[in-house]
Amino acid sequence: MLAYIDWHTSPVIFEIFGFPLRWYGLMFAGAFLVGYQVLSYMFRKEGRPIEQADELLLYAMVATVIGARMGHYFFYEYPLLLSNPVKFFIDMIVPPYSGLASHGAAIGLFTAFYIFSKKRNIPYLYVTDRIVPTVALGGAFIRFGNLMNSEIVGKPTDVSWAFRFFNDIEHPVLVPRHPAQLYESISCVILFLLLMWVWSLKKENTRQGLMTGVFLIILFTLRFLYEFVKENQVNFEDGMQFNMGQILSIPAVLFGVAILVYAFRKKDIQNA
């Protein structure tokens, strides 16, 4: 019986006229397509115009790309900002967009949803409550894309389900590692199912902020814990007690706690 799994998967599915179709790109697109179906389903059940789901999807797509890209550079590439600001901003806006940060995406999304809620005169927490299940599902897609890319790998381990990532270009020493991407992907699927179950109980009468608070607390608590079995993303993290992913997860969890407290202290639940 093998003590590990050999992972030879190529990040490229196939090429069309020299243009590669990559697993990560497919998962990224799939996250929005499937997420839109979930959001549309929720809006239909609550009697909301589907056009609002279309608009919200557009906000989410733009906010995810911009937020994730800016987050990667400001959180993980800031030494370059200090040493060469011009190169920092050029690299950030010029393709290929190989660096994306989930915490930056989260900031971008919650900012975009605020703008949407003000424009449509819909309570902010109502909007975020309806979108966090799709974000959790999207996280599952993205982390599975990371697995197919053999990136964001875990630390060496001797557990029986360890992976040997043959296409990992960042860690040339081939040793069994935690499939950290798979841990996070599965966790996101479970979180999605939990949030949809919470919503199904009362639908439009769900206590505002409940789903958002639960999402933030669970997702970023798990992110904090999973970082202990993941390799650091950048060199400057090697000398830190907690890496950047963990540091950024702490305020996200606290924000989730604050929203959850607000949700339960609010006496009158106002429907959107």
Side-chain angles (χ1 to χ4, degrees), residues 166-177:
F166 282 79
N167 293 321
D168 178 14
I169 61 176
E170 295 184 358
H171 306 92
V173 179
L174 188 61
V175 296
R177 296 178 177 276

Side-chain angles (χ1 to χ4, degrees), residues 79-97:
L80 179 61
L81 174 62
L82 301 178
S83 62
N84 192 338
V86 175
K87 179 175 174 54
F88 174 89
F89 285 103
I90 290 177
D91 288 353
M92 183 170 63
I93 63 176
V94 175
Y97 300 124

Side-chain angles (χ1 to χ4, degrees), residues 9-16 19-24 148-149:
T9 304
S10 170
V12 177
I13 307 173
F14 55 80
E15 293 189 4
I16 302 178
F19 181 80
L21 176 63
R22 298 179 177 273
W23 282 108
Y24 187 85
M148 303 303 285
N149 271 0

